Amino acid sequence: HGVIRKKGADVICPIDEEIGASYVHCLEGEDNVGPANYMLSYTWGYTIGDIVDSLVEFCETTQQSPKRVYVWMCCLCVNQHRVVKLRDEGKVVPFEEFSDTFFQRVNGIKNILSMMTSWNDPGYLKRAWCIYEMYVATTSSECNVTILMPPKEKYLFAKEIEEGQGGNMFFKVMSQTDIEKASAYPADKDLI
């Protein structure tokens, strides 16, 4: 039982009124929670430190208060208690239902932050769900997509542009994206 699920273990979920709430439903006060104005698209393999550093730098760069940038993250906003319950019962959310919900969320929030690290071998471009999220966001006329990198990765990327092969390395990395080779649960990958 991870930190995220533990936080809401004894809390009534405001959506289905059952015990076990998402992390976000355990937060109170406008300095801690509010309607999402950004959605973070990332892989679960990224470190918390890299995620925090990227979001802090984003707030600084865009001159927004971190207390008013409300970021929707699946691990914090999806009720993990229900996910585990379905898994334990041998059930899964049908792809069509998940896809429709995701599409509505992306188009409702309208601002997608796609986090990529490392810059020269981004795990993001190796995950089928991340590629799908980017596809949905970039094919929607309503969405704005911003690419985020942890500050240390942005520094290395800038250094490569100045001292290395310039943009050629970046385009090489991007051109190697292959949805057929991207990883996901087999059932998900077939549907994506």
Side-chain angles (χ1 to χ4, degrees), residues 92-101 129 132 187-188 191-192:
V92 294
V93 175
F95 178 81
E96 294 77 18
E97 181 182 328
F98 183 86
S99 182
D100 289 346
T101 301
W129 273 115
Y132 176 73
D188 288 348
L191 293 167
I192 293 172

Side-chain angles (χ1 to χ4, degrees), residues 160-177:
E160 175 65 26
I161 289 175
E162 288 178 19
E163 300 172 9
Q165 299 178 27
N168 292 335
M169 181 64 165
F170 173 73
F171 288 111
K172 180 180 175 188
V173 168
M174 297 304 286
S175 70
Q176 292 173 344
T177 302

Side-chain angles (χ1 to χ4, degrees), residues 36-48:
N37 43 22
Y38 293 94
M39 176 183 162
L40 182 66
S41 180
Y42 68 106
T43 75
W44 284 30
Y46 291 166
T47 68
I48 292 171

Side-chain angles (χ1 to χ4, degrees), residues 12-19 82:
I12 301 288
C13 175
I15 295 171
D16 62 15
E17 299 180 352
E18 292 184 29
I19 288 284
R82 301 304 171 265

Side-chain angles (χ1 to χ4, degrees), residues 9 16 23 42 54 57 85-86 101 116 121 127 131-133 135 152-153 185 187 191:
D16 62 15
Y23 190 91
Y42 68 106
S54 297
E57 183 178 64
K85 181 180 177 186
L86 283 173
T101 301
M116 301 211 188
D121 190 24
R127 297 287 303 153
I131 296 169
Y132 176 73
E133 289 172 6
Y135 169 78
K152 64 184 179 208
E153 288 297 322
Y185 291 110
L191 293 167

